[in-house]
Amino acid sequence: MHTLFRGGRVFTATGSFAEAVLVRDGVIVAVGSESDLVRQAPAHETVDLEGGLLMPGVTDAHIHPVQAGLEHAKCDLSEIYGLDEYLTAIRTYADGCDKEWIDGGGWDMSAFPGGLPHRSQLDFLDRPAYLIQRDHHAAWVNTRALERAGITRDTPDPADGRIERDADGNPSGVLHEGAMDLVGLLTPRPTTDDMDTALVTAQRHLFSLGITGWQDAIVGSYAGSDDQLPTYISAARAGRLKARVVGALWWDRTRGADQIASLIERRAMAEGLDRFSAGSVKIMQDGITENFTAAVLEPYCLCGGTGLSYIDPGKLREYVAELDANGFQVHFHAIGERAVREALDSFEGTSPDNRHHIAHLQIIEPSDVPRFAALGVTANLQPLWATHHAQMDELTLPYLGEERSAWQYPFADLERSGARFCAGSDWPVSNADPIQGMHVAVNRTEPGGSVHAGYPTAGIPFLPGQRLSLTTAMTAYTAGSAWINRSPAGVIEQGRPADLVVLDRDPFGLPEAEIWTAKVRLTFVDGEAVYQR
């Protein structure tokens, strides 16, 4: 039996709109006018769009679902803001469990003076605490945790991180980047069932947001988390994984090219699976601006230093060339303009056929913007961060300076230069809702209801000259990200899988300031309803 989607507008992600879509056996068989499709299939079931929008399922090109599922089952601070609220939630969680550690996370740096909480704030706990910062680039720990790890004033900083210290030199309770593992690896390990439940729970949530595929941006052990590869393989074999997923295998920055053989073996473990593959490698080249670990070209204002390049740029070129020669896609984390340049440099001479991409792209030195198109490198956007909010205004802008601040999230400049886009959320670092991401890409302001919506400058567009059209933004989240994943979905046209999303209203017909109000009503994978509101 055919299914006809009608009664609203259809965004095809091919540069055009349509009136109706006909599906049979999980495949799109025709796109066009309702009258033509009714003639083609007089006997059909109907999905009434009720004046909303039918769009392709979203592929999130940079996300951490298993980690999100695990964290939301722990002490979850991601939906609240402020020290008092954090401490209340932590105390409530601790009172309700008998776990050996209090672990979880989601705290925001901007909730603390200078972006730094302190161990003493958690010393009311009778157990060690390890709470990951919202961006996953730092952890807040108490004195018991530091003692358990043997961290003292004499403990040296690891090469890829920093132990924050008080004025007297004692550890203050914040561990940045690679220093997180000093405590994180001591926390209790999740069981196989915990990991599987986390994935299934995350998938259910993502379906409710219209996300039908993704690229997991770290499949491996990082910052105290465990390897997710067995979880994905098990779920794919058992049929629990219904989304179309690519795993980006973690590049261990403490090792060199010797690990490529093991990456090839790990990729082979996923061969032949219908819903999961592991042909991408994730390289984190720097940290974040707020703790001054993002790699920049000129020193940070007020505090000095130029951040961290986690991999020597010369060696990075060698590693990327070998990964490229072995058919891997390389997926970079690059925040600072030096890290972006080092990533682009490493792609010189690589094959565009491997669909390499760089995520985050907070700061790009203007002369590097045209290099994305020239090298065939895709810009992987996380639009939600491109607004005025406390972390940006208080912890970033003062330390970047006026000129460099104006280089942030240059989406329109990238588009004008011919760059290809994909897009993602980085959930649980930020909200997974792609409609909110599209809203920010178009408006460069906080969407209503966000944790920062009440911030004084949240309604002022952040670098408004870098806005994108809704068509460009939605295409990035659908066709662009599906292309990165080599997914057959992401576009509404004949012969494609019927991975489809029905929105309750047509955001193209709304004032731009109201794009965020559109909500998912129905989500389909291969023509099967996997979410209904």
Side-chain angles (χ1 to χ4, degrees):
M1 175 68 75
H2 288 85
T3 301
L4 179 68
F5 291 79
R6 44 98 34 223
R9 190 153 47 163
V10 179
F11 177 79
T12 66
T14 62
S16 63
F17 289 85
E19 187 177 279
V21 174
L22 196 62
V23 171
R24 183 171 183 176
D25 297 329
V27 177
I28 298 167
V29 295
V31 182
S33 70
E34 181 178 347
S35 58
D36 286 345
L37 301 192
V38 169
R39 281 194 294 270
Q40 184 172 332
H44 60 264
E45 298 175 342
T46 298
V47 174
D48 189 349
L49 304 181
E50 299 178 3
L53 182 77
L54 182 69
M55 59 178 282
V58 167
T59 298
D60 190 309
H62 186 104
I63 191 169
H64 309 278
V66 179
Q67 188 65 22
L70 289 171
E71 288 181 16
H72 287 304
K74 298 179 182 178
C75 184
D76 183 12
L77 308 177
S78 63
E79 299 300 322
I80 57 177
Y81 182 81
L83 177 59
D84 290 343
E85 289 198 45
Y86 293 155
L87 294 181
T88 297
I90 293 165
R91 184 175 286 107
T92 300
Y93 179 82
D95 289 346
C97 75
D98 58 0
K99 293 173 61 177
E100 180 186 359
W101 284 71
I102 300 302
D103 58 348
W107 55 274
D108 195 312
M109 293 180 72
S110 63
F112 300 91
L116 298 171
H118 196 271
R119 57 185 164 82
S120 62
Q121 295 160 328
L122 297 176
D123 281 347
F124 69 90
L125 294 167
D126 61 354
R127 286 159 279 178
Y130 177 80
L131 299 167
I132 298 174
Q133 178 240 1
R134 187 186 300 270
D135 286 355
H136 287 64
H137 289 268
W140 177 19
V141 301
N142 61 1
T143 301
R144 288 177 183 269
L146 292 169
E147 291 172 347
R148 184 74 65 93
I151 299 173
T152 69
R153 63 182 297 121
D154 299 320
T155 304
D157 290 339
D160 61 346
R162 185 174 79 249
I163 301 168
E164 196 70 39
R165 302 172 195 269
D166 290 334
D168 58 7
N170 289 316
S172 69
V174 176
L175 305 173
H176 298 284
E177 306 295 340
M180 296 166 68
D181 278 348
L182 299 176
V183 171
L185 293 177
L186 302 178
T187 61
R189 299 296 87 199
T191 66
T192 298
D193 286 346
D194 291 337
M195 299 281 280
D196 185 70
T197 299
L199 175 57
V200 172
T201 301
Q203 179 178 246
R204 186 184 311 119
H205 177 64
L206 296 176
F207 283 161
S208 77
L209 299 175
I211 297 168
T212 58
W214 62 79
Q215 184 160 146
D216 191 315
I218 298 179
V219 175
S221 299
Y222 166 71
S225 66
D226 286 13
D227 183 16
Q228 306 91 338
L229 184 60
T231 303
Y232 276 115
I233 291 173
S234 174
R237 286 176 176 164
R240 292 188 298 273
L241 185 65
K242 297 183 181 296
R244 305 177 197 277
V245 179
V246 169
L249 303 175
W250 176 243
W251 179 271
D252 184 346
R253 56 196 183 220
T254 67
R255 299 171 60 191
D258 61 296
Q259 67 187 289
I260 293 178
S262 66
L263 292 171
I264 293 171
E265 292 175 0
R266 284 165 64 75
R267 177 176 62 183
M269 292 168 64
E271 286 181 359
L273 297 176
D274 180 45
R275 296 285 156 166
F276 179 74
S277 62
S280 187
V281 171
K282 166 68 174 299
I283 297 178
M284 187 178 287
Q285 184 58 9
D286 69 343
I288 58 174
T289 58
E290 293 82 6
N291 65 10
F292 318 120
T293 56
V296 293
L297 292 170
E298 299 294 334
Y300 287 97
C301 303
L302 306 178
C303 66
T306 57
L308 300 174
S309 291
Y310 290 140
I311 301 173
D312 175 84
K315 293 180 179 178
L316 183 66
R317 294 189 186 203
E318 298 174 14
Y319 302 156
V320 169
E322 188 170 347
L323 288 168
D324 180 73
N326 279 283
F328 280 107
Q329 174 190 90
V330 178
H331 177 164
F332 266 103
H333 162 117
I335 293 281
E337 72 272 20
R338 189 178 83 235
V340 172
R341 179 170 294 176
E342 289 165 355
L344 289 168
D345 289 347
S346 76
F347 285 134
E348 292 281 357
T350 60
S351 173
D353 292 341
N354 287 327
R355 307 187 185 189
H356 304 305
H357 50 124
I358 306 176
H360 307 327
L361 302 168
Q362 180 170 348
I363 313 168
I364 307 179
E365 200 281 327
S367 68
D368 285 322
V369 168
R371 299 180 67 197
F372 285 81
L375 294 170
V377 174
T378 298
N380 188 334
L381 312 181
Q382 282 65 61
L384 266 179
W385 305 346
T387 69
H388 282 290
H389 51 271
Q391 193 160 305
M392 173 63 74
D393 287 7
E394 298 171 21
L395 300 179
T396 298
L397 296 181
Y399 296 93
L400 293 185
E402 185 174 353
E403 180 182 29
R404 188 163 46 196
S405 291
W407 299 346
Q408 292 187 88
Y409 306 114
F411 301 161
D413 288 347
L414 285 163
E415 183 179 30
R416 285 188 286 265
S417 72
R420 181 188 286 269
F421 288 151
C422 62
S425 65
D426 207 10
W427 186 57
V429 171
S430 53
N431 194 312
D433 186 350
I435 301 300
Q436 292 203 20
M438 295 175 206
H439 175 98
V440 174
V442 173
N443 291 280
R444 307 281 288 207
T445 58
E446 285 290 311
S450 75
V451 70
H452 293 294
Y455 188 69
T457 58
I460 300 174
F462 179 73
L463 302 175
Q466 299 299 338
R467 290 167 166 161
L468 297 177
S469 70
L470 180 56
T471 296
T472 298
M474 190 174 288
T475 300
Y477 276 96
T478 54
S481 295
W483 183 86
I484 279 293
N485 266 14
R486 300 184 185 273
S487 168
V491 174
I492 297 179
E493 65 181 7
Q494 184 179 6
R496 300 272 191 165
D499 292 9
L500 304 170
V501 174
V502 179
L503 300 182
D504 64 356
R505 64 202 72 185
D506 181 354
F508 290 95
L510 295 173
E512 289 182 342
E514 297 178 15
I515 289 171
W516 68 274
T517 64
K519 305 297 180 187
V520 172
R521 187 164 66 85
L522 292 162
T523 304
F524 297 84
V525 174
D526 289 329
E528 174 191 354
V530 294
Y531 170 75
Q532 181 171 355
R533 194 178 71 192

